[in-house]
Amino acid sequence: IVLTQSPGTLSLSPGERATLSCRASQSVSSSYLAWYQQKPGQAPRLLIYGASSRATGIPDRFSGSGSGTDFTLTISRLEPEDFAVYYCQQYGTSRGLTFGGGTKVEIK
Amino acid sequence: EVQLVQSGAEVKKPGESLKISCKGSGYNFASDWIAWVRQRPGKGLEWMGIIYPGDSETRYSPSFQGQVTISADKSTNTAYVQWTSLEASDTAIYYCARHELAYDYDGIGTPGRGWFDPWGQGTLVTVSS
């Protein structure tokens, strides 16, 4: 399953709402999709699993939604620490976990 | 606290061998799958494979099958990935991560169907002549 993330770069100001898209080449079974945040020089951090369940310690300004082939990560109000690269990952098939190419959220 | 600590950066020449490690703590290391993920410079994430330290069952991404060997030693809570002959294209940061399984309605979790949490800090491998 190929995951396509859009846009490639999102330029926003602190306090604004960010909407990131992840589209799959075929349906992701059981909404088996996760989102990660990666800051420069750091390892990725799990934000969302099961398309909409927040990982432990993740602020509620992060939310995930979607099913089938279209998934969305929403950051309701951007904080300075939220500017980073975000990746989606599908795990709907054991034949191959795949990641999207990433969306960079940068300060406008 | 669940923690994965990886070995330090490596600089190698093409053709050399290498083994990097990932040591887990704060949980029952033998009972959870560990994954390895590659990130080439300036690029995205690529899943390499997973291992169950309890019995060393291993599953590889087709892209990495035959290219690397993933192993684990449950007595030392450590997982490894090794290369027998490095190439310049192996230059990347390599991350280990605990692989959490997604359980279906029937309570069955399938290795390879799950997410990654937490992650190690990464090991930079540079291959250059």
Side-chain angles (χ1 to χ4, degrees):
Chain A
I1 298 178
V2 177
L3 298 179
T4 302
Q5 292 189 241
S6 61
T9 302
L10 197 51
S11 299
L12 294 167
S13 300
E16 290 193 295
R17 181 185 189 91
T19 302
L20 288 66
S21 172
C22 176
R23 178 161 290 177
S25 60
Q26 56 187 279
S27 183
V28 178
S29 64
S30 304
S31 296
Y32 281 171
L33 189 110
W35 289 93
Y36 301 87
Q37 176 194 67
Q38 187 177 34
K39 297 179 182 178
Q42 295 186 18
R45 177 176 71 145
L46 175 71
L47 299 175
I48 301 286
Y49 62 93
S52 61
S53 297
R54 269 189 303 276
T56 302
I58 301 303
D60 61 7
R61 64 180 180 272
F62 291 92
S63 63
S65 63
S67 64
T69 60
D70 290 300
F71 297 87
T72 300
L73 175 70
T74 301
I75 310 170
S76 59
R77 293 173 311 278
L78 282 164
E79 297 287 341
E81 62 267 28
D82 299 336
F83 291 92
V85 178
Y86 293 83
Y87 294 96
C88 57
Q89 174 235 328
Q90 68 79 24
Y91 49 95
T93 168
S94 60
R95 296 183 180 180
L97 298 155
T98 51
F99 291 92
T103 290
K104 181 180 182 180
V105 179
E106 65 175 23
I107 299 176
K108 187 174 182 180
Chain B
E1 178 195 6
V2 177
Q3 199 170 14
L4 297 171
V5 178
Q6 299 185 229
S7 50
E10 302 274 1
V11 179
K12 292 289 188 178
K13 290 181 167 47
E16 292 187 331
S17 62
L18 176 65
K19 191 173 187 178
I20 62 174
S21 67
C22 167
K23 185 174 178 62
S25 61
Y27 73 105
N28 187 350
F29 184 81
S31 298
D32 282 337
W33 291 79
I34 288 285
W36 286 94
V37 176
R38 181 175 75 179
Q39 186 170 39
R40 285 174 163 157
K43 301 298 183 183
L45 304 167
E46 302 171 272
W47 170 67
M48 299 170 65
I50 53 174
I51 187 165
Y52 187 75
D55 61 7
S56 291
E57 179 182 349
T58 309
R59 304 189 183 192
Y60 292 93
S61 160
S63 299
F64 289 88
Q65 180 81 48
Q67 307 304 308
V68 298
T69 301
I70 294 172
S71 60
D73 181 347
K74 64 181 179 181
S75 70
T76 60
N77 287 0
T78 305
Y80 304 92
V81 61
Q82 66 181 82
W83 295 259
T84 56
S85 181
L86 286 159
E87 302 175 359
S89 58
D90 294 317
T91 294
I93 297 174
Y94 293 87
Y95 294 101
C96 65
R98 188 172 66 171
H99 176 46
E100 296 266 22
L101 300 189
Y103 288 88
D104 292 333
Y105 295 113
D106 54 7
I108 296 176
T110 303
R113 299 187 74 174
W115 57 92
F116 306 117
D117 181 53
W119 295 59
Q121 84 278 17
T123 296
L124 174 61
V125 174
T126 303
V127 184
S128 175
S129 54

